[in-house]
Amino acid sequence: RRVHGDKCVIPGAGSFEIAASRHLMANQHLVKGRARLGMQAFADALLIIPKVLAQNAGYDAQESLVKLQEEAASNERSGIKTLVGIDVTTGEPINPEQFGIYDNFSVKQQIISSSVEIASQLLLVDEIMRAGLSSLKG
C-alpha cells in the first residue's frame, strides 16, 4: 500500500545501508571534532542491517559483510555505479535490482529517523542517570 502511495522504492538486500555507510566514511574528513565520531558510529550502525540479513540466512555475518564491502569497493574503483546487497540464498554479493529486491522508501526513511530519535533519547536518559549518581556522591 505504501509503495503505491509513495511511488518510490530503493534497492534492498542491505544495499542502501552498505552504500550509506561507505558514503559517510568517505566524507568523514569533512567533519571536525566529536561529530566525526558520530558519523563513524552511525556508519557502523547502518551495517547492522546487512549483518542481520546474513546471520538470519545462516551465514557468517562478518564474512558476508567483508564480501559486501569488498565488492562495493571493487565496483567503486571500476567506476561501476551499482549497489551491492546480500543474496540470502547464497550469502554472496548481488545487485538487488537485477533480482527485483526493493525496499519501500518511506519505511526506510521512517526507520532511520526513528532510530536516530531513539538513540538520542537513550543518550539523554544515560546523561540524566549519570547526573543523578554524581549528585548522590557529592
Side-chain angles (χ1 to χ4, degrees), residues 7 25 33 36 39 48 65 68 71 89 101 108 122 134:
K7 295 184 181 6
M25 295 305 290
R36 180 181 278 185
M39 278 181 81
I48 290 171
L65 186 59
L68 290 170
E71 183 74 17
T89 58
I101 303 170
K108 187 69 72 174
L122 288 172
S134 66

Side-chain angles (χ1 to χ4, degrees), residues 5-23:
D6 288 349
K7 295 184 181 6
C8 187
V9 292
I10 58 175
S15 62
F16 166 78
E17 289 80 3
I18 294 285
S21 176
R22 289 184 57 75
H23 179 77

Side-chain angles (χ1 to χ4, degrees), residues 18-74:
I18 294 285
S21 176
R22 289 184 57 75
H23 179 77
L24 287 170
M25 295 305 290
N27 291 292
Q28 189 176 358
H29 68 279
L30 300 173
V31 178
K32 303 278 188 248
R34 294 173 71 167
R36 180 181 278 185
L37 296 174
M39 278 181 81
Q40 168 93 40
F42 194 73
D44 291 342
L46 285 169
L47 297 177
I48 290 171
I49 300 297
K51 281 183 189 177
V52 169
L53 287 172
Q55 194 171 27
N56 287 348
Y59 300 101
D60 181 75
Q62 289 302 115
E63 187 177 318
S64 296
L65 186 59
V66 168
K67 286 180 186 178
L68 290 170
Q69 290 177 319
E70 287 174 351
E71 183 74 17
S74 173

Side-chain angles (χ1 to χ4, degrees), residues 72-138:
S74 173
N75 285 354
E76 204 172 283
R77 282 191 300 274
S78 302
I80 300 170
K81 296 193 182 270
T82 300
L83 293 178
V84 176
I86 186 165
D87 183 345
V88 295
T89 58
T90 65
E92 296 298 315
I94 59 165
N95 174 353
E97 291 178 288
Q98 285 181 336
F99 289 85
I101 303 170
Y102 294 97
D103 289 331
N104 182 276
F105 173 76
S106 67
V107 171
K108 187 69 72 174
Q109 184 181 34
Q110 187 61 44
I111 288 169
I112 291 172
S113 176
S114 296
S115 64
V116 170
E117 183 63 32
I118 290 167
S120 297
Q121 292 299 318
L122 288 172
L123 289 172
L124 180 62
V125 168
D126 186 53
E127 201 173 303
I128 291 169
M129 295 291 288
R130 285 182 193 198
L133 288 175
S134 66
S135 69
L136 291 175
K137 289 179 185 177

